[in-house]
């Protein structure tokens, strides 16, 4: 294939696969915790890290990772202790992150807002070898956490009080989820962009939930959707000369619409099967709805 003849596209495709795996893998826990927009907030904070990277002549990816992790921890602390004023504090954190990124990058030697654009919306041609190395290492961390601790993270995401009673370190696991989400944002920013990464963390999970009924199935399908749309969007961006981040997000939304259309006849088929099972079957109100596939822990 012609697209594989170019080193920058090889790097972009590898980064796209890693983003397609990591974003839904973290997003499934955020959706369960009703924190679907957490990735968007972390993306705003990460802009300060990108700006600092340019100002200090350090890697913007690693600096964004450091600042994002600190921001994610601060977000969790605000969630625990902020109470009625927590929303105001979070708003200041998010907008301050955006403003800091713009300010620092303009203070950097030769810096301008144009340097920030590729991090905000993604760029294929600017994914360097050092970026790929950083993305691979960060993605490995995300996969190890989301798979290795899936039972514990699932329990905390479902019911914090129950998880605490069973002896799980709830606060530590909440912090770990926030840190993993922050790392995922920096993994994805070179392909999707900081302003659009939240969509890739949430929409594939929502699409998978239309058809699946267990956590394991939702996890697998959402990751498959993530890889499919990131690869398709990257290839489309190369051949059609369109922004990669916007293309990937639009394809993701298209996958959600398709899954939703397929879910209706599947739900009717399941209803007929339940009716045919006779009076011994569970009543409809006791069964897990198809649209909440990640809430059944039988497949964890």
């Amino acid at each position: 294939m012609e697209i594989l003849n170019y080193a920058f596209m090889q790097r972009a495709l590898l980064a796209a696969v890693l983003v397609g795996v990591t974003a839904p893998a973290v997003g499934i826990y955020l959706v369960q915790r009703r924190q679907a927009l957490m990735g968007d907030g972390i993306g705003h904070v990460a802009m300060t890290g990108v700006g600092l990277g340019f100002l200090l002549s350090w890697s913007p990816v690693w600096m964004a990772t450091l600042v994002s992790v600190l921001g994610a921890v601060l977000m969790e602390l605000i969630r625990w202790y902020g109470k009625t004023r927590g929303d105001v504090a979070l708003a200041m954190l998010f907008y301050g992150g955006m403003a800091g990124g713009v300010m620092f990058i303009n203070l950097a030697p030769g810096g301008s807002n144009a340097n920030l654009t590729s991090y905000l919306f993604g760029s294929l041609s600017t994914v360097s070898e050092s970026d790929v190395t950083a993305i691979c290492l960060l993605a490995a961390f995300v996969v190890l956490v989301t798979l290795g601790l899936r039972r514990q993270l699932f329990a905390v995401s479902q019911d914090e009080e129950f998880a605490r009673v069973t002896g799980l370190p709830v606060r530590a696991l909440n912090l770990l989820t926030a840190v993993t989400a922050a790392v995922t944002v920096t993994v994805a920013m070179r392909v999707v962009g900081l302003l659009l990464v939240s969509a890739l963390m949430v929409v594939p999970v929502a699409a998978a939930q239309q058809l699946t009924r267990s956590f394991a199935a939702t996890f697998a399908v959402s990751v498959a959707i993530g890889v499919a749309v990131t690869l398709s969007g990257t290839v489309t961006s190369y051949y059609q000369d369109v922004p990669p981040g916007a293309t990937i997000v639009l394809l993701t939304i298209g996958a959600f619409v398709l899954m939703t259309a397929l879910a209706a006849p599947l739900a009717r088929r399941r209803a007929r099967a339940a009716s045919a099972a006779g009076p011994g079957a569970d009543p409809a109100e006791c069964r897990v709805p198809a649209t909440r596939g990640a809430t059944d822990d039988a497949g964890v």
Side-chain angles (χ1 to χ4, degrees), residues 193-204:
L194 292 173
L195 296 184
L196 299 174
V197 63
S198 185
L200 196 59
M201 298 171 73
V202 173
V203 181

Side-chain angles (χ1 to χ4, degrees), residues 5-70:
N5 293 332
Y6 300 98
F8 78 94
M9 282 307 302
Q10 295 173 9
R11 295 192 294 269
L13 289 170
L14 176 58
V17 171
L18 295 175
V19 170
V21 171
T22 55
V26 174
I28 191 170
Y29 300 107
L30 299 183
V31 170
Q32 289 297 102
R33 290 156 57 97
R34 293 176 176 83
Q35 294 179 332
L37 295 180
M38 184 177 184
D40 188 52
I42 295 174
H44 287 66
V45 176
M47 290 174 61
T48 292
V50 173
L52 276 174
F54 279 100
L55 180 63
L56 302 176
S57 299
W58 292 352
S59 168
V61 175
W62 287 113
M63 182 58 72
T65 302
L66 175 61
V67 173
S68 297
V69 168
L70 293 176

Side-chain angles (χ1 to χ4, degrees), residues 2 16 59 90 102 126 157 159 161 196 205 210-211 221 223 243 245 253 256 267 278 283 294:
E2 175 194 352
S59 168
L90 287 175
V102 174
T126 58
S157 299
D159 190 333
E161 291 303 320
L196 299 174
V205 177
Q210 304 305 306
L211 298 179
V221 173
V223 168
I253 294 173
F256 174 80

Side-chain angles (χ1 to χ4, degrees), residues 33 152-160 163 168 170 173-174:
R33 290 156 57 97
Q152 293 87 338
L153 295 177
F154 176 83
V156 173
S157 299
Q158 283 293 101
D159 190 333
E160 287 191 5
L168 290 176
V170 172
L173 289 170
N174 281 335

